[in-house]
Structures are given as structure tokens and as C-alpha cells.
Amino acid sequence: DYPNAIGGVALILLVLFSLVPLQGYIERKRQTRTYRIVFNQSDGDIAHYEKLFGKFKLNAHRVKHSRVGSQITGQWAASGSAKNHDKFTDHMLGENQVQEFDF
């Protein structure tokens, strides 16, 4: 019985150690980040930013939106690859109409 138990433990350890690289791969391919964007109502609308998420292949869901005076604040939870998040962030940092951007 001991050889079977040792073989079973060895198999379980092999499977567990093989899952570590798989976990890293999944985390690189599928990350969720929260973005907060503040802009003037006259400079654009929420739909513009939601289209940008799609342009960068991010699946975004509205979390919270508010308006204070002429400022609109939008918050989204977006999922996608780390590379696409980085591209989106680089683009947003160059957007002139964005007053605040949390990422």
C-alpha cells in the first residue's frame, strides 16, 4: 500500500506544481482593473469612453457615475489582458479632455 500512497502523493504534487505556471498565464491574459475618469460635460460623454474600452479590447462595466456641476465622473471595472490595459492607460494619459484619471 505504501508504494501506491507515495505514487498518489507524487502525482498530486506534480499536478499542483504544474498549475503555478498556468495561474501566471491566466493572470497575464485576464486582469480586472478599476478606472475613474473625470471630464467636463461639454468635452465629451460617457459613451465616448465606453467605446475606447472596446477599442482596446477591454470588457468594461459601469460601476458608478456622477455629475457635479459640469464635471462628470465615471468609474468602470474593466477586464482584459495586461497589455491591453497598458495600451488603454497610455492612451488615456494623452487625452486632453480628461481632468482626472485614476487607474
Side-chain angles (χ1 to χ4, degrees):
D1 286 339
Y2 286 114
N4 287 338
I6 292 171
V9 169
L11 180 63
I12 289 171
L13 290 175
L14 179 67
V15 169
L16 287 176
F17 284 118
S18 68
L19 291 177
V20 172
L22 180 63
Q23 178 185 1
Y25 173 78
I26 291 171
E27 287 176 357
R28 284 190 306 275
K29 289 294 181 185
R30 195 73 171 167
Q31 293 184 357
T32 300
R33 297 184 189 176
T34 301
Y35 295 98
R36 183 178 156 272
I37 303 169
V38 178
F39 59 94
N40 275 328
Q41 186 175 8
S42 61
D43 289 338
D45 61 356
I46 290 172
H48 167 71
Y49 297 103
E50 290 180 341
K51 287 178 186 175
L52 282 177
F53 284 114
K55 176 182 175 185
F56 290 96
K57 298 179 182 165
L58 297 172
N59 185 13
H61 302 281
R62 288 185 190 188
V63 175
K64 180 180 175 183
H65 291 88
S66 62
R67 189 187 104 190
V68 177
S70 64
Q71 280 191 333
I72 295 178
T73 302
Q75 188 173 349
W76 292 266
S79 59
S81 71
K83 185 172 95 175
N84 290 342
H85 280 289
D86 292 343
K87 287 179 182 179
F88 175 76
T89 300
D90 289 343
H91 177 83
M92 291 302 296
L93 291 173
E95 285 261 330
N96 293 331
Q97 54 272 55
V98 174
Q99 296 176 348
E100 293 179 35
F101 178 57
D102 295 336
F103 55 96

